[in-house]
Amino acid sequence: MRRPHPRLLAPAVALLLATACGAEHADTGRGAGATVPGPRTTVTDPPVDGVRITSVTLPAASPSPTPSGTPFRVHADPLPESGDSGISAAYQVSNDGDEAMTYTVLFDFTTDTGAVMDSRKVTVRGVEPGRTTVGTVGLGALAPGASPVTRVKVAEVTKVPADEAPARTGACPSSGVRLWADDGDAAMGLRVVGLHLENCGKRDYALDGYPELSLLDDDREPVDGIHVLRGGAAIATGTGFDGPPVALVLKPGETALSGLVWRNTTLAGTPVNVPYVRVLAKPGAAPVTVTPGLDLGTTGKLGVGAWRLAGR
């Protein structure tokens, strides 16, 4: 099962697609069943942690009647069951900090009542201080039988220093390795997230032991009171991260695997959520900050597995 991903920011702003003068159908002369380009509706809601939607495009949009004196709402007509829905949102990411940041943004495509029909995650890399980057996120195909999407909202934003951002693809970092976290699994309150380390360089890369972890809060400041335990078995057996550490030498192109293991049990006390984990593959390695969204409950414990060759 896919691990639920905690929402890291307090409540996201729902973007009501409103226009004072309504919207008109676009007549393109296409046949029945074709996706008709709709109008682009400007959105003026405030940003969520530097990210805001500036406009939304819905296909075959038409104004829905509303009580006198209130703005029209943009309404999307039923769409074909396959192919691109034609629904998209333009967004901008503004960095008001003092260092380059890489942003990961989760966009929710919802109905008029707020039900999420689908989500899209976008990574915007290397936004320099004082700069704004713009882009567009598309919904793609809408699932058969899904209700009409009429709103888009910024549901979640995480951001890490650009030189610590994880990357599964692209140019090989100067360190010669790239590290990232997967989406993880969840069952009966047990969480398991894999840490992957690929040797993308031209030299062998030696490992011997466990990755070093620093747990960070929303402001990327250290989180106290959490015990990082060695081995997945410190939390639960059978996770695949129970083995003892062994010396490894990763050849170019090879990948090692570790894992984060925890439970989200909540008893007495205040639940602890840890959005960021700074990872050193070994002492002295370049740090990489991943965003597994640790919902640790009140357990106060996190297990970490020893590095092992992937596939073994």
Side-chain angles (χ1 to χ4, degrees), residues 179-204:
L179 188 153
W180 70 92
D182 60 32
D183 290 332
D185 292 306
M188 300 293 288
L190 178 66
R191 313 288 201 236
V192 181
V193 169
L195 296 177
H196 303 257
L197 179 72
E198 180 191 3
N199 182 354
C200 56
K202 298 180 179 180
R203 300 179 180 179
D204 293 350

Side-chain angles (χ1 to χ4, degrees), residues 147-160:
S147 299
V149 168
T150 58
R151 305 183 185 191
V152 185
K153 68 179 182 181
V154 178
E156 175 186 300
V157 179
T158 57
K159 56 184 181 181
V160 301

Side-chain angles (χ1 to χ4, degrees), residues 85-279:
S85 66
I87 301 171
S88 65
Y91 63 86
Q92 65 180 34
V93 179
S94 299
N95 182 359
D96 61 359
D98 56 6
E99 63 179 321
M101 303 294 288
T102 288
Y103 294 72
T104 300
V105 186
L106 184 68
F107 295 94
D108 281 349
F109 292 77
T110 79
T111 66
D112 192 55
T113 61
V116 178
M117 293 296 100
D118 212 337
S119 300
R120 293 291 180 267
K121 185 174 286 187
V122 174
T123 297
V124 182
R125 298 189 176 278
V127 182
E128 296 293 333
R131 302 296 297 273
T132 293
T133 296
V134 299
T136 302
V137 56
L139 175 59
L142 192 63
S147 299
V149 168
T150 58
R151 305 183 185 191
V152 185
K153 68 179 182 181
V154 178
E156 175 186 300
V157 179
T158 57
K159 56 184 181 181
V160 301
D163 58 0
E164 295 184 13
R168 296 185 61 170
T169 59
C172 186
S174 58
S175 63
V177 296
R178 49 175 153 241
L179 188 153
W180 70 92
D182 60 32
D183 290 332
D185 292 306
M188 300 293 288
L190 178 66
R191 313 288 201 236
V192 181
V193 169
L195 296 177
H196 303 257
L197 179 72
E198 180 191 3
N199 182 354
C200 56
K202 298 180 179 180
R203 300 179 180 179
D204 293 350
Y205 192 84
L207 292 168
D208 187 4
Y210 300 85
E212 295 186 358
L213 309 180
S214 298
L215 309 186
L216 308 176
D217 64 15
D218 286 321
D219 298 319
R220 293 182 303 283
E221 296 294 331
V223 175
D224 298 323
I226 305 300
H227 299 286
V228 178
L229 308 175
R230 291 189 167 185
I235 305 298
T237 57
T239 63
F241 299 109
D242 303 339
V246 295
L248 302 176
V249 176
L250 292 184
K251 301 294 184 182
E254 289 186 326
T255 301
L257 182 65
S258 176
L260 307 178
V261 183
W262 74 96
R263 291 190 182 275
N264 71 337
T265 306
T266 299
L267 299 173
T270 302
V272 175
N273 293 314
V274 178
Y276 300 98
V277 178
R278 181 175 286 123
V279 182

